[in-house]
Every structure is written in structure tokens, then in C-alpha cells.
Amino acid sequence: MAELSRGGRPLRHRIRSALAQARARLYAKASLIVLVVIAATLAWTIAGGLVQDHSPFFAPIAAAIALNAAGGERGANAVRLLTGVFLGILAGEFALWVTDHETLAMTMAVAIATAAAAAINTERIVLAQAAASAVLTTIFVDGASPGADRFVDALIGAGVALAFSQLFFPARLVAMLRRIEEDALNEMADMLAVVGRSLSEDGEACSQQVVNRLGGLSNPMAALSKARENSRSTIRLSTIRWGDPQPVLDEDEVIERLILLGESCLFLSRTTTSMGAQERRELAPIVLGMADALATLADDLSSRQAREQAVERVLGSARAYGPGAPGDDPVTHATHLAVEMVASDIMVFAGIRFDEVENVLQGELDEPRVPHPQEEPWLPWLPWRPRWRRGRRSLGSRRRRPGPQ
């Protein structure tokens, strides 16, 4: 008899699941791994050829650390690294000038470097590099790698990282933003799927399950807000400013719509917990239909077909539920309003003009026009777009079923 894990699943299923997750994580980071390997090797080669009589191990370390950030933040990460290294070296040299006792010098250097880093920049990489550089400067002063060599190594490593992140492999910011949008849409779909299934069941446990699930949307919503804040600074500080920044600015507006959509989904989920049993069963297929519409959108944000299908499905659900009646109790009235809000926000996100949404919901506009989504720029300074889409399959073959089964 196979050994069972928690929940009654065989151990081999847990192993397969863990291997699948590891393979997915490796695939997602494969490009970064290759980039770090090439940059570290190049930094070591350059530093070894330019700076004699020392082992330039800090150059590949600096290149790897500088590239260890989201694509749009790698340039800023390299600058932060250099700031920390410079502060650490200055603190280390000052401590060695004050005392020749190694332990005391290291303690003093780390304290001065981290204090200065905290006063100048609160980013953790600045504090960490300031402390590390202070330690290296004070410990290796008698060897073949004094603090000045460390700074040259850092310049070379950060320079290689900047060249890779800004010139040779610049961030495809629109593609990065859309991946974040897809994650948020999938989380919204999962949440509404859990809500929809719970509506067809009775018992306090189902309502509690919905309440517990509401917190799951906090991480993707926070990621959306952070991406929206970082995108503008990335335009200012990266080579994207050499080209046309409008696609990134347009995607910022899309994120704003998606944040509003997430709030509407939370409002709908919250109101369902206060409804009666009969009303909950009537609402269940409506919520499940909206969850399916969100999953359809998340399948391919670059597909007009997916957006049209999502609009068609959410319209079918919203019209089936109706606008409500004047005599409805406050909870029922709020639920009808929440359904309309979710449907409206999905249509606006799909590209339908805001002033047309009400007419579409009321049936006065039978065939709303869903525009083609903008293409993802391949390079920030080139108008060329790739015609192939890696990993894209037909909508029917990769449809994600929302929510845990």
C-alpha cells in the first residue's frame, strides 16, 4: 500500500507535484540564470585582464548581485550596489587609518558603513553591500586585494550588469507588466470560483471559506500597485526612454482598471456571505460565469479573441441576474450592484469604452466593439514586433480551470 500524505494523496503524487513546480520555477528563471552566468564570466575575464596582481572575485559577484532584480530594476540595482560598495570601502579605509587592530577596525567600519547607507538610502542592497565591502576592506588589507581593487572590481561587475540590462538585454516592460496582470486575473478567477462553488452549498463553513479566501487577492494587488509605481521610474532611468514610452504608459492605465476590477470582485465576494440560502443558489452560476470570464482573459492578454469571449461570457452572466427590483433588501440590492460593477470593470479592462458599458449591459448595444490589444514591444527603441508567441496555444487547449478542485 502506497504511503499516503496529508489529505490522503499518495506520496508519489506529492513528489510529481513538487517536481512540476520546480520545473516551472526553473523555466521562469532560465533566462535570468543564463544572463547571470554570462555576465559573471565576462566580468571575471575583464577584471582579470585590467587589474593585475589580485584575484578579481568581487567583479563576478557584483555582476550577479546587480542582475538579481526584476528586469525593470536591474539598472537601479547596479547603481545601488556601487553606492554600498563605495560607502563600505570608505568606511573600511577610515577604520584602518584609525586603528590597525583587525577586529576593532572591522567593527568600526561596518558600523560607519551601515549607518551612512541608512542615512543615504534605505534599500537593503545598499546596506548589505556597504557592510560586506567594509568587512572585505578591513580583512584583506594585508593580502593582495585592498579596498581600491575591490571598488574597481565592483565598477567592472556593475558596468557589465548595466550593459547587459540596458543595452544588450533591456527589460521588456510591457511583457513584464502583462505577466503581473495575468497573475492578478488568475487570482481573481480563483477567488470567484471558490465563492461560486460555496454559494451552491449550505452551512457556515462555506461562508467562512469565502472569508478566508478574500485575503488571497492581497499579494497580486500589491504587485500591481508596485509595478505601476516602478514602471514610470524605469522609463526615466533606463534605455526605454530612448524609444517610445507610450506602450508602457498605456499599460499603466490598464493596471489602474485591473485594480478597480479587483476591488469590485472583493465587493461581490463580500456581499455573498450575507445572502440567504435561496439567493445564494441563484447567484452561484452567475459568479462562476464571471470567474470563467476572468480566466479567459488571463489565458492571453494579447488576444482580441480572448477578450471578446470574456465580454460575451460576463454579459451573459450579468444579464441573467438582472438589475434587481426596487423593493429588494439592502443586501440583495448591493449584490446586484456588485455584479454590475464586476461586469462593467471586465468590459472596460477588455477595451470597451467606458461610456458604452451601460448601454451594453442594458442591451441597447448588442455587439460592442473590442479593440485589438497593443502588441508587446520587443526592444524599447525598435518598432519591430515578433510575430511568434512562445508557449501560446489555442484558447481551448490551455484554458485554466479557476480555483482549487
Side-chain angles (χ1 to χ4, degrees), residues 162-317:
L162 283 171
F164 272 55
S165 63
Q166 302 299 308
L167 297 177
F168 304 131
F169 305 99
R172 299 185 59 210
L173 198 55
V174 173
M176 292 168 54
L177 292 175
R178 287 192 178 175
R179 284 195 293 269
I180 298 173
E181 293 166 17
E182 288 176 357
D183 291 341
L185 283 168
N186 279 321
E187 186 61 38
M188 294 176 197
D190 289 347
M191 181 181 69
L192 290 188
V194 171
V195 172
R197 288 195 295 269
S198 70
L199 291 174
S200 60
E201 303 173 0
D202 297 326
E204 184 67 24
C206 298
S207 297
Q208 187 62 42
Q209 182 183 11
V210 172
V211 173
N212 294 338
R213 191 65 180 78
L214 296 181
L217 197 58
S218 58
N219 288 337
M221 296 301 287
L224 282 174
S225 299
K226 183 177 181 181
R228 186 173 154 213
E229 294 172 0
N230 290 341
S231 61
R232 294 184 181 271
S233 63
T234 301
I235 292 176
R236 293 196 309 270
L237 301 175
S238 71
T239 51
I240 292 176
R241 68 182 183 276
W242 298 353
D244 182 13
Q246 193 57 44
V248 180
L249 299 178
D250 291 342
E251 209 65 27
D252 277 350
E253 295 182 5
V254 173
I255 289 180
E256 291 180 7
R257 299 174 200 159
L258 193 54
I259 291 174
L260 293 175
L261 174 57
E263 293 175 351
S264 299
C265 291
L266 285 172
F267 179 43
L268 173 60
S269 302
R270 178 63 185 86
T271 56
T272 60
T273 61
S274 303
M275 300 180 69
Q278 181 61 31
E279 293 176 315
R280 289 164 59 90
R281 283 189 289 271
E282 293 176 357
L283 186 61
I286 308 300
V287 176
L288 288 174
M290 292 185 166
D292 193 38
L294 290 171
T296 301
L297 275 176
D299 272 340
D300 190 353
L301 288 176
S302 301
S303 168
R304 181 184 182 185
Q305 180 186 3
R307 296 180 182 231
E308 289 176 340
Q309 290 182 6
V311 169
E312 181 181 352
R313 293 181 184 185
V314 77
L315 274 179
S317 298

Side-chain angles (χ1 to χ4, degrees), residues 127-168:
L127 272 71
Q129 289 305 312
S133 298
V135 171
L136 290 173
T137 301
T138 52
I139 290 179
F140 289 107
V141 66
D142 294 328
S145 299
D149 289 343
R150 290 283 166 255
F151 187 62
V152 173
D153 289 347
L155 281 174
I156 294 172
V160 170
L162 283 171
F164 272 55
S165 63
Q166 302 299 308
L167 297 177
F168 304 131

Side-chain angles (χ1 to χ4, degrees), residues 88-107:
I89 290 174
L90 285 182
E93 295 292 348
F94 174 77
L96 291 172
W97 179 72
V98 172
T99 178
D100 58 358
H101 190 277
E102 186 178 85
T103 303
L104 181 59
M106 185 188 71
T107 303

